[in-house]
């Protein structure tokens, strides 16, 4: 009896002979998939993709030994490579992510030939949805309708505060990333990060909602450039029905280990033959598939047109950047000029102020000198009170010489004195040398002199007042 394994029709499963396996695909080759498509059996194609579709654009994948990003993170001193995308680690130490984000930031890369398979399938009405793990946003640049795209791990398109969840202007975050600074929420002070799904975070709600409805409808699953090592994305390959063919285009096999995973080597995992693999570069596999389907020219044309568009967009961007730069330089020059003028004006003002101060000092000195001179010149005047005093004294002296009114005895006093003297004269005590008659005569003469003096004094002009 021939070995059950030698028969393509009947095989033993757990010791029992089972029905001949249903061949959804003739075999596990690209041409079998192309045949399936050409037969019109693939009307709801889902494409799942990973970093391998963008390496031809110059973006590193994560896990390729030697060239993958996770082999190049030593400079960040991470406890383990995936920590750079781990939300708990990020909360404590956001800096490695932001340093890496500067390298990953979209804007410098163009979609690859493989990326254009998506709009090609969409144009033919065969694309149900494209699910990508990539955060580079290259699918968007092919012109693929947003509705047909699920960015399962988010993207740089938007940013959000991890604390209050306020969605922030992504341009603002982009500027921070380019400046190598960490953005903090202007509302609550929390850390702001691009809406990339980190390990430990939920995938976008849209992912779960659409996956639930799409995968059961899927009639051809094409998996491109992924190691299928990250859950829950990798589990999507198990969500299609058993009769849905699956094709992996990747540099190496992947997704075989999990329950419901690929069965490329016909290990009888399933009652159907439906898994195919192309081992090699995505662009080569996709080109080959397109060729087999008769779409190669169309896809090439789309790729080239897209490239021209990208080139124009890049040139426009470069022009607008150049204009922005020119404007910034002009603004900076203007500001510099203004600052210079301001400085000059200030210096001039300071100089004037200094000169004014000097002049003021000089004037003050001069005034003082003048004042001194004047003071010397007007000394008599300024000494007037003293002189007055002295002059007064002098006058006083002079007035003493000329009998002053207040020193002149009144007529009555004089008459009184003389009368008293006359009356006191003892007429009987006359001597040989002095007789009463002599006394009377003396008094009378004296009286006449005194009275004459009084009269003279009274009639004399008063001294002028000073
Ligand atoms: P991986 O780096 O894990 O896998 C990329 C796969 O693509 C590998 O199997 C490579 O051999 C293959 N490959 C690379 N270049 C290729 C090419 N030109 N043609 C064909 N195959 C090629 O990347 P992903 O599977 O995408 O998470 O990684 C999944 C997730 O892990 C990412 O989304 C990322 C990472 O942590 C976040 O960014 C949050």
């Amino acid at each position: 009896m021939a070995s059950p394994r030698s028969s393509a029709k009947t095989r033993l499963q757990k010791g029992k002979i089972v029905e001949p396996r249903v061949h959804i695909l003739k075999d596990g080759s690209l041409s079998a998939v192309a045949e399936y498509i050409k037969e019109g059996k693939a009307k709801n194609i889902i494409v799942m993709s990973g970093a391998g579709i963008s390496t031809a654009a110059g973006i590193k994948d994560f896990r390729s030994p030697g060239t993958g990003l996770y082999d190049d993170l030593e400079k960040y001193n991470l406890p383990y490579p995936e920590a750079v995308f781990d939300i708990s680690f990020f909360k404590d130490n956001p800096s490695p992510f932001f340093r890496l984000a500067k390298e990953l930031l979209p804007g410098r890369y163009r979609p690859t030939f493989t990326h254009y398979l998506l709009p090609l399938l969409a144009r033919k009405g065969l694309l149900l949805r494209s699910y990508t793990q990539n955060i580079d946003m290259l699918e968007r640049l092919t012109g693929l309708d947003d509705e047909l795209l699920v960015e399962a791990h988010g993207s740089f398109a938007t940013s959000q505060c991890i604390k209050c969840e306020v969605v922030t202007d992504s341009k603002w975050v982009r500027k921070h990333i380019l400046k190598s600074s960490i953005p903090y929420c202007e509302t609550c002070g929390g850390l702001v990060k691009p809406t990339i799904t980190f390990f430990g975070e939920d995938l976008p709600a849209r992912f779960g909602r659409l996956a639930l409805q799409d995968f059961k409808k899927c009639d051809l699953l094409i998996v491109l450039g992924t190691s299928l090592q990250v859950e829950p994305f990798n589990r999507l390959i198990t969500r299609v029905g058993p009769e849905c063919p699956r094709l992996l285009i990747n540099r190496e096999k992947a997704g075989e280990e999990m329950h419901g995973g690929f069965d490329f080597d016909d290990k009888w995992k399933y009652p159907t033959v439906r898994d195919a693999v192309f081992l090699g570069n995505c662009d080569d596999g996709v080109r080959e598939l397109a060729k087999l389907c008769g779409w190669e020219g169309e896809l090439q044309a789309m790729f080239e047109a897209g490239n021209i568009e990208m080139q124009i967009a890049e040139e426009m961007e470069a022009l607008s950047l150049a204009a922005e730069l020119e404007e910034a330089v002009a603004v900076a020059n203007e500001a510099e000029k203004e600052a210079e003028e301001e400085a000059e004006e200030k210096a001039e003002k300071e100089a004037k102020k200094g000169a004014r101060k000097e002049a003021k000092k000089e004037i003050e000195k001069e005034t003082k000198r003048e004042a001194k001179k004047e003071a010397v010149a007007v000394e008599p005047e300024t000494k007037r009170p003293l002189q007055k005093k002295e002059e007064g004294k002098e006058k006083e002296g002079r007035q003493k010489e000329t009998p002053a009114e207040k020193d002149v005895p009144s007529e009555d006093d004089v008459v009184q004195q003389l009368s008293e003297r006359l009356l006191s004269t003892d007429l009987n005590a006359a001597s040989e040398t002095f007789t009463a008659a002599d006394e009377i005569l003396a008094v009378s003469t004296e009286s006449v002199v005194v009275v004459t003096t009084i009269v003279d004094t009274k009639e004399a002009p008063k001294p002028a007042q000073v």
Side-chain angles (χ1 to χ4, degrees):
M1 197 175 151
S3 155
R5 284 203 175 268
S6 65
S7 164
K9 303 269 185 218
T10 57
R11 293 193 183 187
L12 274 178
Q13 202 173 26
K14 289 183 183 167
K16 288 182 192 166
I17 293 181
V18 294
E19 289 298 308
R21 296 174 71 214
V22 179
H23 279 251
I24 308 293
L25 294 177
K26 163 181 97 203
D27 56 36
S29 67
L30 264 188
S31 57
V33 177
E35 207 172 290
Y36 178 85
I37 294 171
K38 284 197 281 184
E39 283 169 4
K41 292 178 181 168
K43 291 192 177 69
N44 291 299
I45 302 175
I46 290 181
V47 177
M48 286 171 58
S49 57
I53 70 166
S54 296
T55 52
I59 304 172
K60 285 178 180 175
D61 67 7
F62 298 90
R63 297 179 180 82
S64 283
T67 56
L69 195 68
Y70 290 153
D71 263 1
D72 189 32
L73 298 178
E74 268 165 38
K75 55 191 167 196
Y76 300 126
N77 283 326
L78 298 164
Y80 54 97
E82 278 97 339
V84 75
F85 291 117
D86 187 296
I87 194 65
S88 311
F89 181 82
F90 175 79
K91 283 176 184 170
D92 289 340
N93 186 5
S95 150
F97 166 74
F98 282 111
R99 282 171 65 193
L100 178 65
K102 200 172 173 180
E103 280 180 45
L104 300 178
L105 214 54
R108 289 178 288 154
Y109 306 102
R110 289 187 197 175
T112 63
F113 186 81
T114 300
H115 282 96
Y116 285 94
L117 176 67
L118 303 171
L120 176 79
L121 292 176
R123 184 193 274 183
K124 299 190 173 302
L126 303 179
L127 185 69
L128 177 58
R129 205 88 62 189
S130 163
Y131 287 75
T132 184
Q133 297 167 97
N134 298 344
I135 54 176
D136 54 31
M137 305 197 325
L138 292 187
E139 291 86 353
R140 295 185 186 210
L141 296 181
T142 62
L144 183 68
D145 187 341
D146 282 354
E147 253 314 296
L148 294 176
L149 180 65
V150 173
E151 290 167 325
H153 293 170
S155 77
F156 281 94
T158 51
S159 290
Q160 197 170 21
C161 170
I162 61 167
K163 205 168 157 196
C164 71
E165 296 184 354
V166 158
V167 175
T168 329
D169 176 17
S170 60
K171 278 189 188 161
W172 175 76
V173 174
R174 193 184 163 89
K175 270 186 192 163
H176 270 281
I177 294 173
L178 287 172
K179 278 193 298 178
S180 304
S181 68
I182 295 170
Y184 288 97
C185 179
E186 286 176 341
T187 313
C188 75
L191 270 168
V192 174
K193 77 165 183 58
T195 41
I196 291 166
T197 313
F198 278 27
F199 293 109
E201 285 191 305
D202 289 338
L203 270 65
R206 185 166 175 266
F207 165 83
R209 187 166 35 83
L210 290 178
L212 204 64
Q213 67 187 47
D214 288 349
F215 280 79
K216 53 189 179 208
K217 278 196 225 161
C218 178
D219 49 22
L220 172 63
L221 179 67
I222 301 177
V223 183
L224 305 169
T226 172
S227 62
L228 290 173
Q229 287 193 26
V230 175
E231 288 189 7
F233 189 88
N234 59 358
R235 299 232 135 257
L236 291 178
I237 67 164
T238 70
R239 305 263 289 265
V240 292
E243 293 183 359
C244 174
R246 305 181 294 191
L247 164 69
L248 173 73
I249 299 179
N250 205 44
R251 280 183 183 158
E252 70 264 330
K253 288 180 185 168
E256 292 176 289
E257 303 307 317
M258 71 183 92
H259 179 74
F262 289 124
D263 179 16
F264 299 124
D265 300 317
D266 200 12
K267 290 179 183 158
W268 280 58
K269 271 189 180 177
Y270 313 105
T272 52
V273 176
R274 46 104 175 231
D275 291 336
V277 65
F278 174 92
L279 293 178
N281 287 332
C282 286
D283 285 356
D284 297 337
V286 168
R287 186 178 291 281
E288 182 64 23
L289 179 67
K291 195 174 176 181
L292 291 167
C293 291
W295 303 334
E296 194 194 7
E298 200 178 345
L299 185 55
Q300 179 65 30
M302 284 177 82
F303 173 58
E304 282 170 14
N307 252 323
I308 290 169
E309 256 177 56
M310 287 296 299
Q311 200 174 327
I312 293 169
E314 281 165 14
E315 276 166 16
M316 298 287 278
E317 175 80 10
L319 280 177
S320 101
L321 275 178
E324 247 176 64
L325 194 71
E326 208 173 299
E327 205 182 308
V329 168
V331 169
N333 282 343
E334 189 61 30
E336 202 181 332
K337 203 175 149 194
E338 268 174 32
E340 267 173 22
E341 279 172 6
E342 218 169 273
E344 264 173 35
E345 217 170 278
K346 206 173 161 190
E348 211 172 293
K349 265 186 196 169
E350 287 296 319
K352 274 183 188 169
K353 213 169 145 188
R356 265 207 301 277
K357 253 187 194 171
E358 277 306 305
K360 206 174 158 192
K361 265 189 204 164
E362 225 19 72
I363 289 168
E364 274 171 11
K365 272 187 200 165
E366 191 55 38
T367 311
K368 274 182 190 165
R369 272 199 298 272
E370 283 300 314
K372 230 179 208 171
K373 272 190 209 163
E374 268 179 40
V376 172
V378 299
E379 205 168 21
E381 264 184 31
T382 51
K383 284 191 174 171
R384 190 171 284 197
L386 182 61
Q387 193 199 21
K388 264 187 188 171
K389 215 173 163 185
E390 282 167 1
E391 278 175 1
K393 273 182 191 168
E394 252 174 61
K395 275 182 188 161
E396 219 172 88
R398 275 205 304 273
Q399 276 166 3
K400 267 183 186 165
E401 277 168 22
T402 323
E405 215 173 324
K406 62 180 170 71
D407 296 330
V408 179
S410 70
E411 288 166 51
D412 291 345
D413 290 347
V414 172
V415 171
Q416 173 88 23
Q417 279 173 22
L418 289 173
S419 305
E420 277 167 12
R421 198 166 143 195
L422 206 54
L423 286 172
S424 66
T425 305
D426 186 3
L427 297 174
N428 296 320
S431 66
E432 283 175 17
T433 53
F434 181 75
T435 62
D438 290 336
E439 181 63 7
I440 291 164
L441 188 64
V443 170
S444 303
T445 311
E446 210 172 305
S447 301
V448 170
V449 171
V450 169
V451 169
T452 312
T453 309
I454 291 169
V455 171
D456 282 355
T457 309
K458 279 188 179 171
E459 281 175 1
K462 288 183 183 171
Q465 292 292 313
V466 183

